[in-house]
Amino acid sequence: MVYKAYNWQLGREVNYPYEPKRPQKQFAVVMDLNKCIACQTCTVACKTTWTPGRGQEYMLWNNVETKPWGFYPLGWDIKLLELLDGNKKTVFDAPEGEVVLGWKPDELDWMYPNVGEDEVNEPVDVGTVLENLPHPIWMFYLPRICNHCTYPACVAACPRQAIYKREEDGIVLIDPERCEGYQECIRACPYKKTHFNFVARISQKCIGCFPRVEDGYQPQCVITCIGKIRLMGFINPPENAKPDNPIDFLVHVKKVALPLYPQSGLEPNVYYIPPINVPLSFLKQMFGPGAEHAVKTYMAMREGKEPELQALLHLFGSTPRIPHTFKVVGNEVIAYDEVGKEIVRVPIVEPIQHRPHKDEKLDVVRQDIP
Amino acid sequence: MRYTGALILGLVLSGVVFSQEIVCKRVKSLPLDPLDKAWTNIKPVDISLSGQAVVPPMELKPSITSISVKCLNDGKNIAFHLVWSDKTEDRFHLIGKFSDAVAIQIPYRPSADVPITMGDKGQRVLILHWAAFRQENIEKGYSDTAKIYPNYAYDWYPHADPPYKYPENWANQYALNYIGGEKVFRKNTFNTPVREVVAEGYGSSTWKDIQGAEGKGVYRNGKWYVVIKRAFVEESTSNPEWGPGKETFVSFAVWDGSNGEVGARKSLSYSWIKLRIE
């Protein structure tokens, strides 16, 4: 059976093997790639919380890779683009005998996350000629978690129906008791965010920190981010977008946060503010045709022309609670929880304290050390 | 509909019985060892297998196309002796790598009308599934990380005891239930390589709480020799209507791990084979 599911990221219907149904709320995360420094604090936070067990050694439910040459597993997005080579095709347009157009990484493909990824990032000497390279020297960091897709390929592919998408928050989970480790989900997920535990012999994946989300808190990877690049919330489809919902504002109103490889057809729910230092052709390949608008808007914000957007970015990393709505009042941005109670208030411009170099009263010279 | 052809094929084949018949002789004691002499004098029935092409994911290029079956019973237990050729011995279930396996399917109601595609609602089947990776665990110790990847440099396991047991009093009960819980641990530590599974249609197979079936597999000269043994009637659980003097039906499935076969990707006998139990 094949159903037609409307994918707003593509603006058209896609094939899906289950009846399309949106959850009551949809888990979503926005990540500002202009601010990620690949410190891997998110990776470690997730690792210590969820994947410290036997058979999970290689597993990273959250990882940060260096684009364009970093991968986990090896070549995951190159392979995806190769599979989707062709007009108007998604991973649900599978050949005879398959549910999803997928591929399975070799075990060694998983074994070297980040190894050697940054070694080429040497300082460029003045006068270096770059014209002959395939691309000029640019790079950025791409943090990745499970996208908790609206139309998950893992759910579609599991022959035991051991994977399900939760009605209450859209988080996608694997039932460890039903899972038999057939690895069809690993073959199907184009983002390769399901993993096989070779000791427990079940598949496992990012669970969106559902125990925290149930209590109104953002996931571990979001709140531990020292670069304050992440914000978790709930997204509405564009026709129901609410301008005071921080995720809706970034994705639907300002359109600065974009899905990763939307051409997969899964309607992924982690959104990225694209890095402004990267060639547009690459950003379009990765985040879709909206990349140009997103970069322009972000650059305008840096010039002070998007005060509300600038204010909202101050909420990133400012509270462990899930913000459902936000408001800018004077010099402050305020976030509210599900019932409208204030959870945090952040000044948009921090007061500056100027301390003169020489303290006349104490007759000392201050060193520039805090 | 892309799969209509395959589905029709499946529907047509369900309920069909070909002329083959397995006679299950009665003996005094049942050997669990597939190389035991008791098996040598029994004439095998060769059953042809084809790729699973009813429901995706399918196996359109299966590498195993026949299986040789013998059967014995002692009045209380039944044992099947299964032999098939497989060039590669796959004894591990790893990342992207699968174990060789074999399964016998028996309808609860002894009728060839039960859909051969793992039964249907109200038409339950019993599946006895032997896997080489379980045999390996039992014979050579649980396949833990250190055994699978001996050079793996990792020594930080703050919570899990081998093979996968988490402390009951671990503060993070969500994590305990989700990533390691008692049931996953139990599932992997039964002291038998055979799993008893019930199903009412494909995608519905579920492990039984009581796991009584036994088995043993030996790989020799490019062939798997496997014995699967079960009591006709197991206490405190459901059983098919079978026993001495009765007739029922069986079908078989084989998985070749190195051909990427697992779950629905398998070769199977597309018809019920009559099983006459003496």
Side-chain angles (χ1 to χ4, degrees):
Chain A
M1 195 73 188
V2 177
Y3 294 92
K4 293 283 176 195
Y6 184 73
N7 181 319
W8 65 260
Q9 293 176 355
L10 302 180
R12 65 178 172 92
E13 289 185 325
V14 297
N15 292 326
Y16 194 66
Y18 290 110
E19 202 169 349
K21 194 179 171 215
R22 286 181 191 275
Q24 287 165 5
K25 279 189 290 183
Q26 175 59 58
F27 173 99
V29 175
V30 171
M31 302 189 189
D32 183 353
L33 300 185
N34 292 289
K35 296 196 284 184
C36 181
I37 55 167
C39 66
Q40 307 281 6
T41 309
C42 49
T43 310
V44 173
C46 181
K47 189 84 196 151
T48 52
T49 309
W50 298 114
T51 56
R54 288 180 150 78
Q56 295 184 309
E57 293 86 348
Y58 81 103
M59 254 184 231
L60 298 171
W61 292 358
N62 176 105
N63 77 297
V64 185
E65 54 201 47
T66 308
K67 284 291 165 198
W69 47 76
F71 311 98
Y72 171 77
L74 197 67
W76 69 270
D77 51 353
I78 291 176
K79 196 83 182 175
L80 170 65
L81 292 169
E82 281 172 3
L83 286 175
L84 294 180
D85 190 21
N87 198 25
K88 293 230 169 185
K89 197 159 83 169
T90 72
V91 298
F92 300 116
D93 300 312
E96 177 83 34
E98 299 288 339
V99 183
V100 175
L101 187 62
W103 67 285
K104 209 176 312 164
D106 184 77
E107 64 180 343
L108 284 178
D109 294 340
W110 297 101
M111 297 301 165
Y112 309 98
N114 295 107
V115 174
E117 284 190 7
D118 280 1
E119 262 85 290
V120 287
N121 295 333
E122 293 173 1
V124 181
D125 288 337
V126 175
T128 304
V129 177
L130 300 172
E131 281 79 4
N132 293 334
L133 290 169
H135 55 75
I137 290 183
W138 52 264
M139 43 72 62
F140 65 99
Y141 299 116
L142 181 71
R144 298 203 297 126
I145 62 170
C146 166
N147 287 301
H148 298 282
C149 305
T150 307
Y151 307 116
C154 57
V155 172
C158 179
R160 295 186 53 77
Q161 286 137 40
I163 313 183
Y164 57 102
K165 187 170 174 67
R166 303 212 303 182
E167 174 65 15
E168 61 266 41
D169 50 21
I171 288 175
V172 176
L173 295 179
I174 297 175
D175 178 348
E177 286 177 36
R178 275 208 68 73
C179 179
E180 282 291 320
Y182 295 163
Q183 305 180 36
E184 297 294 344
C185 54
I186 296 165
R187 181 194 290 263
C189 174
Y191 306 99
K192 299 298 164 226
K193 275 295 166 193
T194 47
H195 305 85
F196 179 64
N197 184 321
F198 51 82
V199 174
R201 289 166 196 132
I202 52 173
S203 293
Q204 297 180 322
K205 65 178 284 297
C206 157
I207 58 175
C209 282
F210 72 85
R212 290 181 60 84
V213 172
E214 284 171 6
D215 290 344
Y217 287 92
Q218 302 186 61
Q220 294 285 67
C221 61
V222 174
I223 61 143
T224 53
C225 174
I226 61 165
K228 298 188 171 191
I229 78 151
R230 300 181 182 217
L231 187 77
M232 182 252 149
F234 297 101
I235 190 170
N236 294 299
E239 65 274 16
N240 298 331
K242 295 190 178 73
D244 64 347
N245 171 331
I247 307 286
D248 282 357
F249 182 81
L250 293 162
V251 176
H252 296 311
V253 179
K254 285 294 158 188
K255 297 181 175 19
V256 288
L258 305 166
L260 178 62
Y261 293 111
Q263 57 266 54
S264 66
L266 281 62
E267 212 182 283
N269 285 304
V270 174
Y271 297 86
Y272 294 93
I273 300 176
I276 56 175
N277 64 313
V278 173
L280 264 179
S281 57
F282 191 83
L283 292 181
K284 283 180 181 170
Q285 173 182 281
M286 222 165 165
F287 304 111
E292 186 168 3
H293 171 83
V295 168
K296 277 186 180 162
T297 308
Y298 197 84
M299 287 170 92
M301 181 199 75
R302 281 156 52 104
E303 292 163 12
K305 292 174 189 164
E306 291 283 352
E308 205 181 357
L309 174 59
Q310 195 164 11
L312 174 56
L313 288 179
H314 283 72
L315 271 187
F316 283 47
S318 294
T319 170
R321 307 285 306 279
I322 300 172
H324 285 258
T325 51
F326 79 106
K327 194 161 71 179
V328 182
V329 180
N331 184 39
E332 288 176 323
V333 55
I334 309 161
Y336 303 91
D337 68 7
E338 199 165 12
V339 293
K341 200 173 147 231
E342 182 179 315
I343 51 177
V344 72
R345 186 180 278 257
V346 186
I348 297 166
V349 180
E350 296 272 356
I352 294 172
Q353 188 69 41
H354 180 73
R355 298 195 301 169
H357 179 59
K358 171 94 189 276
D359 188 321
E360 298 291 349
K361 193 179 156 197
L362 299 172
D363 194 25
V364 291
V365 175
R366 289 196 177 96
Q367 303 298 317
D368 192 14
I369 297 168
Chain B
M1 274 292 297
R2 280 171 302 157
Y3 306 118
T4 313
L7 282 171
I8 289 169
L9 175 78
L11 291 171
V12 166
L13 288 173
S14 70
V16 172
V17 190
F18 288 105
S19 54
Q20 281 184 307
E21 183 183 80
I22 299 168
V23 179
C24 196
K25 279 201 167 179
R26 183 147 177 178
V27 290
K28 276 193 180 155
S29 69
L30 290 182
L32 193 62
D33 184 355
L35 304 179
D36 191 287
K37 278 181 186 165
W39 294 107
T40 47
N41 297 329
I42 301 159
K43 201 174 164 232
V45 177
D46 290 325
I47 293 152
S48 62
L49 307 172
S50 38
Q52 193 282 116
V54 176
V55 61
M58 299 175 184
E59 181 51 73
L60 302 176
K61 290 177 186 168
S63 61
I64 315 289
T65 52
S66 78
I67 184 167
S68 173
V69 182
K70 297 174 186 177
C71 183
L72 288 175
N73 83 90
D74 65 1
K76 281 189 175 170
N77 303 283
I78 187 164
F80 294 90
H81 182 268
L82 311 161
V83 182
W84 71 98
S85 295
D86 184 342
K87 283 179 199 156
T88 47
E89 182 184 6
D90 306 305
R91 284 180 160 267
F92 293 98
H93 187 178
L94 300 175
I95 302 163
K97 291 188 173 66
F98 303 106
S99 153
D100 294 330
V102 66
I104 306 168
Q105 177 179 248
I106 305 116
Y108 266 64
R109 182 168 54 87
S111 161
D113 294 338
V114 176
I116 199 148
T117 48
M118 295 166 76
D120 205 349
K121 280 256 160 66
Q123 308 206 65
R124 183 177 279 203
V125 295
L126 173 71
I127 295 166
L128 305 174
H129 180 271
W130 172 92
F133 75 88
R134 293 190 209 114
Q135 188 78 55
E136 175 77 11
N137 282 341
I138 289 162
E139 284 171 9
K140 298 186 181 164
Y142 197 83
S143 300
D144 200 348
T145 309
K147 185 176 161 193
I148 300 166
Y149 301 107
N151 297 321
Y152 214 110
Y154 200 92
D155 58 1
W156 184 71
Y157 297 102
H159 313 300
D161 300 324
Y164 206 70
K165 179 91 167 172
Y166 283 78
E168 298 291 325
N169 60 356
W170 188 15
N172 193 337
Q173 285 295 314
Y174 279 107
L176 178 65
N177 292 333
Y178 187 77
I179 65 179
E182 177 66 25
K183 287 197 175 174
V184 175
F185 174 76
R186 197 173 145 254
K187 212 164 143 176
N188 282 318
T189 46
F190 285 118
N191 196 29
T192 161
V194 181
R195 290 293 167 268
E196 290 196 28
V197 175
V198 287
E200 294 192 356
Y202 46 75
S204 71
S205 60
T206 305
W207 286 38
K208 293 189 77 170
D209 279 343
I210 308 281
Q211 291 283 340
E214 297 172 272
K216 191 181 176 185
V218 177
Y219 186 81
R220 193 158 290 185
N221 301 327
K223 282 184 178 178
W224 273 111
Y225 298 80
V226 175
V227 166
I228 294 176
K229 181 179 164 186
R230 188 197 190 264
F232 287 117
V233 179
E234 250 172 37
E235 296 297 318
S236 314
T237 186
S238 63
N239 296 284
E241 294 171 35
W242 62 346
K246 288 186 180 168
E247 276 186 6
T248 186
F249 298 89
V250 279
S251 72
F252 302 89
V254 180
W255 291 261
D256 177 7
S258 48
N259 194 38
E261 293 176 15
V262 69
R265 300 178 195 269
K266 62 191 167 193
S267 47
L268 69 160
S269 57
Y270 263 119
S271 60
W272 288 114
I273 293 135
K274 197 182 269 186
L275 176 70
R276 190 149 56 82
I277 305 163
E278 286 188 342

